[in-house]
């Protein structure tokens, strides 16, 4: 009822019932943001790239078939000649060794049989790289969701500031009518009227400032959602005071299981482990099966017709001496893995601190709500008493205006505390790595 009354005041004091644009809930805003955000689209493109890399590595398990064709044109056919002794009376003789047109068509097959685990490790690395990319995508999404929540509640905060300013103007105008009646009866001086008029001017200023804050908050929110800045919209109010807080240990354990930053570093550590195996494969023999089939025409032995030939075999390669190059690459890969393992430990400690701070801030936000509610109740009673005493000539205009200001401030603080609590809960959820519903 209270919220409905404030909304009614908003339309009354703005003087018109403006046709509102789209009305967004928090979840709808999150869905739009994830769908439209350019950073997430970049992550999606990167994910498609690493998926193609996996398919590329998968092809290494299969035989590689190649083909080639060459054509060579000689200025003339190559010939071989010989001459018999002159006394025999036989003229010199010659015959073609090759034709002027040379054709060669070849097909080859190469199948790795043993690579020291290089292909297997490369494929496992590609699979892990996909997981890492997904975790990075989740990090981007979770950061975005938190910013959307902050932006959403910033709009609601600004709107409540406007409603509070409008409410203050209404009560001040009511006091003006009482003060004017008292002045007409000679019960108060002109100073009371002037003070109230100055106060009314200040409330108009507060209304303008609050409206400006709403416009700025909406622009920032539209940017987050990658929507046109010119599109009008409203957000649904959320006035929950309490959520299921749970113990700190619950949120910490949840982070160990779900936080994508932790999962990402675990994947990178596995990727570096595969890199070590890939480099170590250089210390092992490389065995392949090969086969070649060739068609030849125009060359020696196949001048006027196609002649084929084929071969099969096993190729074994082993790098006997490279001045320790492979071993240095192995050590380099091992050092990279050690580095990422240290980063993992640092990340875990950092997340533990982040969760604890978020949890403390949430408890503080809960207490702020309780304090603000009590202050609001006392401010209402104070204003009621001030108005009553003023009508009886036992209080001044300053007393009434101060009481009105105190109530406006208390009501505004109460709603700010509610939205701060919602934001603090969102920060804690992000710190614990709450999954994003897509």
């Amino acid at each position: 009822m209270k919220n409905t009354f404030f909304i009614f005041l908003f339309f009354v004091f703005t003087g018109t019932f403006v046709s509102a644009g789209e009305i967004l809930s928090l979840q709808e805003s999150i869905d739009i943001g994830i769908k439209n955000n350019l950073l997430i689209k970049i992550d999606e493109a990167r994910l498609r790239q690493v998926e193609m890399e996996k398919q590329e590595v998968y092809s290494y398990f299969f035989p590689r078939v190649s083909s080639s064709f060459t054509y060579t044109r000689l200025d003339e056919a190559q010939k071989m000649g010989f001459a018999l002794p002159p006394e025999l009376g036989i003229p010199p003789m010659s015959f073609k060794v090759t034709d002027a047109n040379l054709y060669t068509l070849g097909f080859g097959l190469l199948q790795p049989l043993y690579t020291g685990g290089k292909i297997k490790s490369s494929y496992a690395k590609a699979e892990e790289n996909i997981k890492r990319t997904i975790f990075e995508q989740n990090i981007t999404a979770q950061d975005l969701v938190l910013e959307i929540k902050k932006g959403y509640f910033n709009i609601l905060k600004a709107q409540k500031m406007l409603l509070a300013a409008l409410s203050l103007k209404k009560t001040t105008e009511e006091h003006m009518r009482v003060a004017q009646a008292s002045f007409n009866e000679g019960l108060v001086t002109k100073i009371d009227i002037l003070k109230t008029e100055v106060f009314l001017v200040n409330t108009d200023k507060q209304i303008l400032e609050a409206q400006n804050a709403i416009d700025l908050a909406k622009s920032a929110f539209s940017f987050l959602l990658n929507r046109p800045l010119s599109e009008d919209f409203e957000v649904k109010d959320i006035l929950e005071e309490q959520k299921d807080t749970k113990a700190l240990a619950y949120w910490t354990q949840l982070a160990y299981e779900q936080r994508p930053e932790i999962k990402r570093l675990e994947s990178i550590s596995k990727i570096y482990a595969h890199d070590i195996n890939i480099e170590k494969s250089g210390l092992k023999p490389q065995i392949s099966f090969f086969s070649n089939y060739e068609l030849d025409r125009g060359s020696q032995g196949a001048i006027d017709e196609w002649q084929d030939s084929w071969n099969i075999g096993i190729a074994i390669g082993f790098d006997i001496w490279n001045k320790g190059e492979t071993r240095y690459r192995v050590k380099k890969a091992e050092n990279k893995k050690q580095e990422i393992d240290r980063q993992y430990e640092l990340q875990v400690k950092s997340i533990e601190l982040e969760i604890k701070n978020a949890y403390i801030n949430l408890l503080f936000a809960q207490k702020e709500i309780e304090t603000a509610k009590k202050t609001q109740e006392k401010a209402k009673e104070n204003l009621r008493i001030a108005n009553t005493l003023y009508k009886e000539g036992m209080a001044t205009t300053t007393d009434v205006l101060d009481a009105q200001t105190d109530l406006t401030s208390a009501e505004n603080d109460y709603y700010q505390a509610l939205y701060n609590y919602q934001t603090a809960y969102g920060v804690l959820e992000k710190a614990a790595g709450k999954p994003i519903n897509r």
Side-chain angles (χ1 to χ4, degrees), residues 201-214:
V201 172
N202 287 332
T203 60
D204 288 335
K205 179 183 177 183
Q206 292 179 35
I207 290 171
L208 289 174
E209 290 174 346
Q211 185 59 64
N212 185 62
I214 292 175

Side-chain angles (χ1 to χ4, degrees), residues 167-179 182 187-188 192 196 199 378-408:
S167 178
L168 177 60
K169 181 174 181 178
K170 183 176 183 296
T171 56
T172 304
E173 288 175 339
E174 177 62 29
H175 174 71
M176 172 65 83
R177 286 191 288 271
V178 174
S182 298
L187 300 177
V188 297
D192 289 59
T196 307
F199 196 85
K378 291 180 179 180
K380 287 180 181 179
E381 180 63 16
N382 183 44
L383 178 59
R384 186 190 67 79
I385 294 173
N387 283 327
T388 301
L389 293 177
Y390 182 80
K391 292 176 183 178
E392 295 177 357
M394 300 175 63
T396 65
T397 290
T398 301
D399 294 331
V400 175
L401 297 179
D402 286 346
Q404 289 178 352
T405 301
D406 290 342
L407 177 58
T408 300

Side-chain angles (χ1 to χ4, degrees), residues 58-64 110-112 119:
Y58 183 68
S59 68
Y60 297 162
F61 287 106
F62 300 96
R64 307 178 75 82
L110 181 65
Q111 172 65 58
I119 297 178

Side-chain angles (χ1 to χ4, degrees), residues 56-165:
E56 176 187 349
V57 176
Y58 183 68
S59 68
Y60 297 162
F61 287 106
F62 300 96
R64 307 178 75 82
V65 179
S66 60
S67 63
S68 63
F69 173 78
T70 60
Y71 166 74
T72 305
R73 170 68 185 181
L74 303 178
D75 59 341
E76 61 179 357
Q78 294 184 1
K79 298 180 180 180
M80 178 178 289
F82 61 92
L84 296 175
E87 57 269 20
L88 296 179
I90 301 175
M93 301 177 62
S94 66
F95 59 90
K96 289 196 300 183
V97 178
T98 66
D99 190 57
N101 298 298
L102 305 178
Y103 305 89
T104 303
L105 177 63
F107 299 91
L109 181 146
L110 181 65
Q111 172 65 58
L113 299 178
Y114 178 73
T115 60
K118 182 177 182 178
I119 297 178
K120 182 179 179 181
S121 294
S122 296
Y123 184 74
K125 175 183 176 181
E127 286 186 315
E128 200 62 47
N129 201 26
I130 291 177
K131 295 179 183 178
R132 183 195 70 173
T133 305
I134 292 174
F135 293 137
E136 290 174 346
Q137 191 178 39
N138 290 338
I139 292 171
T140 302
Q142 289 190 352
D143 289 341
L144 174 64
V145 167
L146 179 57
E147 291 305 311
I148 289 174
K149 288 180 179 179
K150 289 180 179 179
Y152 190 94
F153 291 115
N154 282 340
I155 294 174
L156 292 176
K157 285 180 182 180
Q159 288 178 342
K160 284 298 188 293
M161 288 175 63
L162 176 59
L163 292 175

